[in-house]
Amino acid sequence: MPTTFFGWVGFLLEQYGPLFASGTAMTLLISLTGTVLGFVLGLLVAIVRTVELPRGAGRVRRALLGCAHALMNVYIQVFRGTPMIVQAMVIYYGSMQYLGLDMDHTAAAIFVISINTGAYMAEIIRGGIISVDKGQFEAAHAIGMTHWQTMTTVVLPQAIRNILPSVGNEFIVNIKDSSVLNVIAVSELFFQAKSAAGTYFRYFEVYFIVAVIYLVLTLTVSRILRLVEKKMDGPDSYVIHGSQSDSRAEIKVSAENEKEVVKRWEA
């Protein structure tokens, strides 16, 4: 048997490498899927929460919208105000005890992460929407756009770019917080590590390996997200096509007007 720290690390990697690999894959699966589904849920909640009815709207519409806002506010406060580990226990064992549902462990994990992330994403996206200048809302409404059209074509493209760092941070948090789902027997990285540590009682070495794996995952995701942000920023320098103040600019014209445009450009 090994007698040094790194000797034990190498031995455990050799013996339980496939176990660590399967746990890492499960962690990535549930955290990525849960983040994507949570983003979609938070996006829908944020759009509804930013709806403002016109002055002439009827009482029924106002009452329905008020109820929707109240329910969404309760959802956000409850899932932001309670730990994910408690939510997992309540949802998994509560549905089994009172609804008779025998949920798959992986499906339950994705569901818990999704609704937990959705609560945070709703506020993140709402903040991004609010950060867009109100004049753009007014301009879109002035040309007859509905609230949904305004959001999808004018506001959200700008808001998503603004909130991308926060969305990436939420994904990183989910990678780490997925470890609490071992309480409902999800075979993610931390759960697999417990199995490996209990065989030889080398807890320090096993959890050192796990810490390095989590660190590698989060650093890799951070780097990828930074590249995505840089890509969305666009080039540092560019030429405005059709600009008359830049000799490199291009003007797209029809064939019949080409000669006339060239004469004007030379003049």
Side-chain angles (χ1 to χ4, degrees), residues 151-216:
M151 285 294 172
T152 55
T153 60
V154 178
V155 178
L156 287 180
Q158 301 175 69
I160 290 175
R161 171 60 190 87
N162 294 337
I163 66 173
L164 189 59
S166 298
V167 174
N169 184 65
E170 191 65 25
F171 179 36
I172 292 172
V173 169
N174 284 340
I175 291 176
K176 297 181 293 183
D177 285 357
S178 63
S179 60
V180 304
L181 298 174
N182 73 91
V183 297
I184 58 174
V186 178
S187 57
E188 43 73 51
L189 181 57
F190 189 83
F191 182 84
Q192 301 287 33
K194 289 198 303 182
S195 302
T199 304
Y200 295 99
F201 298 101
R202 307 300 299 191
Y203 291 95
F204 179 69
E205 291 83 355
V206 168
Y207 289 114
F208 173 81
I209 295 172
V210 171
V212 171
I213 293 174
Y214 276 120
L215 183 60
V216 170

Side-chain angles (χ1 to χ4, degrees), residues 19-266:
L19 206 65
F20 290 130
S22 65
T24 302
M26 179 59 68
T27 293
L28 285 175
L29 172 65
I30 61 178
S31 58
L32 178 59
T33 307
T35 302
V36 172
L37 294 177
F39 178 83
V40 174
L41 177 60
L43 179 63
L44 295 176
V45 171
I47 290 176
V48 174
R49 293 190 75 200
T50 55
V51 172
E52 295 182 0
L53 293 178
R55 294 182 179 180
R59 293 182 179 180
V60 176
R61 291 179 62 189
R62 290 188 176 278
L64 291 175
L65 184 60
C67 291
H69 284 182
L71 290 174
M72 292 176 182
N73 187 56
V74 170
Y75 158 66
I76 291 171
Q77 297 302 326
V78 168
F79 283 93
R80 288 176 65 195
T82 55
M84 186 185 293
I85 189 172
V86 176
Q87 296 167 15
M89 299 285 281
V90 169
I91 292 172
Y92 182 74
Y93 293 109
S95 62
M96 183 183 298
Q97 182 174 348
Y98 289 100
L99 300 178
L101 297 177
D102 187 12
M103 298 180 68
D104 177 75
H105 297 290
T106 304
I110 293 174
F111 179 72
V112 170
I113 291 182
S114 298
I115 58 176
N116 180 274
T117 303
Y120 287 93
M121 287 291 187
E123 289 299 282
I124 291 173
I125 296 173
R126 189 174 69 89
I129 292 173
I130 294 174
S131 69
V132 177
D133 189 86
K134 287 186 177 181
Q136 300 193 37
F137 287 88
E138 297 171 356
H141 292 158
I143 62 176
M145 283 188 175
T146 63
H147 184 74
W148 178 260
Q149 291 173 326
T150 302
M151 285 294 172
T152 55
T153 60
V154 178
V155 178
L156 287 180
Q158 301 175 69
I160 290 175
R161 171 60 190 87
N162 294 337
I163 66 173
L164 189 59
S166 298
V167 174
N169 184 65
E170 191 65 25
F171 179 36
I172 292 172
V173 169
N174 284 340
I175 291 176
K176 297 181 293 183
D177 285 357
S178 63
S179 60
V180 304
L181 298 174
N182 73 91
V183 297
I184 58 174
V186 178
S187 57
E188 43 73 51
L189 181 57
F190 189 83
F191 182 84
Q192 301 287 33
K194 289 198 303 182
S195 302
T199 304
Y200 295 99
F201 298 101
R202 307 300 299 191
Y203 291 95
F204 179 69
E205 291 83 355
V206 168
Y207 289 114
F208 173 81
I209 295 172
V210 171
V212 171
I213 293 174
Y214 276 120
L215 183 60
V216 170
L217 289 178
T218 55
L219 290 178
T220 303
V221 170
S222 299
R223 181 59 181 168
I224 292 173
L225 290 171
R226 186 67 191 95
L227 293 175
V228 172
E229 290 177 34
K230 190 174 182 180
K231 185 69 175 177
M232 293 184 70
D233 285 337
D236 295 331
S237 60
Y238 54 89
V239 177
I240 301 176
H241 293 278
S243 173
Q244 297 182 2
S245 61
D246 195 321
S247 60
R248 298 172 298 164
E250 299 177 6
I251 303 177
K252 296 181 180 180
V253 296
S254 59
E256 58 270 18
N257 295 327
E258 183 176 355
K259 293 182 179 179
E260 182 180 353
V261 173
V262 170
K263 289 180 180 179
R264 291 181 180 179
W265 180 265
E266 291 176 349

